[in-house]
Amino acid sequence: MPDAPAATCRIGVVVEAPQHSGLWGALDYLCAQPLPLGMLVRVPLGRRVVTGVVWSSTGSAGSGDQAEVVDKASLKAVLEVLDGLPPLPDAWRQLVKFAAGYYQRSLGEMALMVLPPELRQLDAIQWGRRLKRLNKAMTEPSVTDPSVLPELTAQQQAALAQLAEPGDKPYLLWGSTGSGKTEVYLRQAQRALDDGKQVLMMVPEINLTPQLEARVAERFAGRRIVSLHSALTPAQRLRNWLMAHYGHADLILGTRLSVFTPLPRLGLIVVDEEHDPSYKQQDGARYSARDLAVYRARLEKVPVILGSATPSLESWFNALPEAEGGTGRYVRLAMPARVGDGDMPRVRILDLSRSPKQLRGQEPPPVARELLDAIAQRVEQGEQSLVLLNRRGYAPVLHCSDCGWKSGCPHCSAWRVFHKVDRTLRCHHCGFTERVPRACPDCGNTDIHPVGRGTERLEEQLAEALPQARLGRIDADVTKHKGALEERLADVHAGEVDVLVGTQMVAKGHDFRRITLVAAVNPDSALFASDFRAAERQFALLLQAAGRAGRDADVAGHSEMWVQTWHPMHPLYQTLRSYDYADFAAQQLKEREMAGLPPYASLAMLRAEGKTQQAAQEFLHAAVQAVQHLADDIGGITLYPPVPTPVQRVANVERAQLMIESPMRPALQRFLSQSQAVWLELAKQNRRSGLIRWAVDVDPLSI
């Protein structure tokens, strides 16, 4: 490590510190000369040397007398400066600062978390070597003429005309599946590229990135396109991030973390499938990439397009005019018709209560005879079918009929799923895996059998019922290896699969041209869930799945969506028949307003994990008592009693939570920011009683 330079001035540097370490802002360091804000430096922190970001030129307080209180003699000096890397721009620092404040995380944690891991580990010498290699690899791409563009529909032209008008509101592109939303994205991206700008296009899941990447690469041949997602190696991610930061990349395709990518000439943000819950981080800094994209667009004064066939109710509410009970904050662009004027699949509700009764103790078939005949007919016609079951594995649980034993996880309050392919019982929460026992562990009975059905078992049973059909399956189990998803999707597109069994992975974003029948075989489980968003998610899943059928105009006329259900008159299914999302949203918003739920209220969850459930709940009870006076002073804050989480034990850690509600978002934010210091001190006192960790989840997806 080289000697630190002579220190003459003080700067504020944010370093990666845990949320509850007490390091909320920047730490003071000395340096030989003032450094640009946003510059990356290497500084000592305790016994370690860590990477930090220069945040202030006058110390951690930024300015004023408070900065002068620190004795320079007690400060440590900056060890290295990562020269050659452009400072992180002011807009990036504002975005990080907002995200840290809104989602109640430390500034250092948020700032360093969103940088590539490899960047945080490089010293100045390593960085210099990497920079030389990067500069050699970077040559200016040749911009070529685009390929022949498809003819736009009238509704695509109307949407693009509105996008061309000046305005500062976000756009909600509400288009049915197959309406050509991606073409609107690409045309608007071309406008930004022609102006010398960069384009950030976000997708909810990694498995959608290669498909979009291929489409974008074909359209923008010669442009520099990079992807940013967790499937990349650390070296690939760093290289792509640097290309974006330097401004060499024209189009950036990424998942939720890409919203923090520094882009010196940003001109457009696109959030595809904006309703998808994958845009919400579920651990650590629990941020919403969709909401931050809207904030970033306003911050940098660029347009943002939120696209979906089934928008989130929050986005829909913001796109409703005030006269219709909304906020009018977004501009809604409607594209209800499919390209080629093809019809959406006809929805057929199959009432299982009218199916032939099973003998007592006999398990009902996975697919009703009527639906099975319809699938067989499609196979004979050379067409494809998609059977949706949003549960992977062979069966959710193994059961002993003699003593009642079930395959529970010893570390979680959940069942271990039976996977027949490798004969294992696997917990999908903590990952604990064991071989399937030869006999019941409790009574020795050798007749233990699966209960319920997953995609693995459904595929097996359909293969028995349709011996003439070629079956394929796509879920997280069969696509975990690199390239496996692309290989299986290629088989489907090539027509080598007659019946595709899959989870929600295949229900959105994929352009299957030969699928004419989609069937949801077990959708009822979400109808009566305690989560207030369950109906919204289920409607989105079913409508998105239906959109995989009939995308080719030649087969659209006889495409179908089958729904097997024991509750055929449920309002969700009746609304699905007509694909009337507006009516469904109106019903849901009415219920939300009556219950005081988002978007008519703002929520936060205070979550705690402990060695025992008692330890977790004792902390939450104490937390309520310690800040009740703050809630009373601010007004409008409701603190609900602590309860165990739906899955209360994971990996031998007990979990509990309490809900915090307010009709006004600013009031909730003020309460949370004032409560953090109280809860931090309280958590230190509760360590001895078994508290492990705690966190605040702002705008939670589930309660």
Side-chain angles (χ1 to χ4, degrees), residues 295-310:
Y295 175 83
R296 182 174 185 178
R298 183 169 72 249
L299 179 68
E300 302 199 43
K301 295 180 173 57
V302 300
V304 56
I305 304 174
L306 311 178
S308 177
T310 54

Side-chain angles (χ1 to χ4, degrees), residues 14 43 401 413 560:
V14 296
V43 296
S401 56
S413 53
E560 293 180 331

Side-chain angles (χ1 to χ4, degrees), residues 304-459:
V304 56
I305 304 174
L306 311 178
S308 177
T310 54
S312 64
L313 287 181
E314 285 83 357
S315 295
W316 183 262
F317 180 70
N318 283 327
L320 283 177
E322 292 185 27
E324 298 179 24
T327 66
R329 295 173 183 167
Y330 295 178
V331 176
R332 189 174 71 196
L333 310 176
M335 292 173 40
R338 283 185 151 187
V339 172
D341 295 324
D343 295 328
M344 288 290 289
R346 181 167 67 99
V347 177
R348 299 188 59 172
I349 307 298
L350 183 57
D351 187 356
L352 291 177
S353 65
R354 297 184 179 181
S355 300
K357 303 298 181 183
Q358 302 296 310
L359 296 176
R360 185 173 182 180
Q362 191 176 45
E363 188 176 27
V367 177
R369 172 52 57 185
E370 188 178 356
L371 174 55
L372 200 62
D373 291 341
I375 295 175
Q377 183 181 359
R378 305 288 168 155
V379 174
E380 292 176 3
Q381 296 172 183
E383 298 170 358
Q384 295 173 317
S385 299
L386 168 63
V387 182
L388 176 69
L389 177 61
N390 203 23
R391 177 182 289 158
R392 60 190 174 103
Y394 189 84
V397 65
L398 281 186
H399 175 248
C400 173
S401 56
D402 281 2
C403 70
W405 172 86
K406 292 183 177 65
S407 55
C409 177
H411 310 297
C412 306
S413 53
W415 307 117
R416 281 180 294 166
V417 177
F418 173 38
H419 291 259
K420 189 177 181 180
V421 171
D422 55 5
R423 300 291 299 176
T424 60
L425 293 174
R426 192 181 312 162
C427 178
H428 290 173
H429 294 277
C430 71
F432 178 68
T433 303
E434 280 187 333
R435 298 287 296 175
V436 173
R438 295 180 179 272
C440 173
D442 288 352
C443 71
N445 175 29
T446 57
D447 186 20
I448 52 177
H449 55 273
V451 177
R453 185 177 293 109
T455 49
E456 188 181 335
R457 189 179 189 190
L458 178 59
E459 180 188 25

Side-chain angles (χ1 to χ4, degrees), residues 40 109 169 212 639:
L40 265 67
E109 178 194 21
K169 291 184 177 181
L212 182 62
L639 300 169

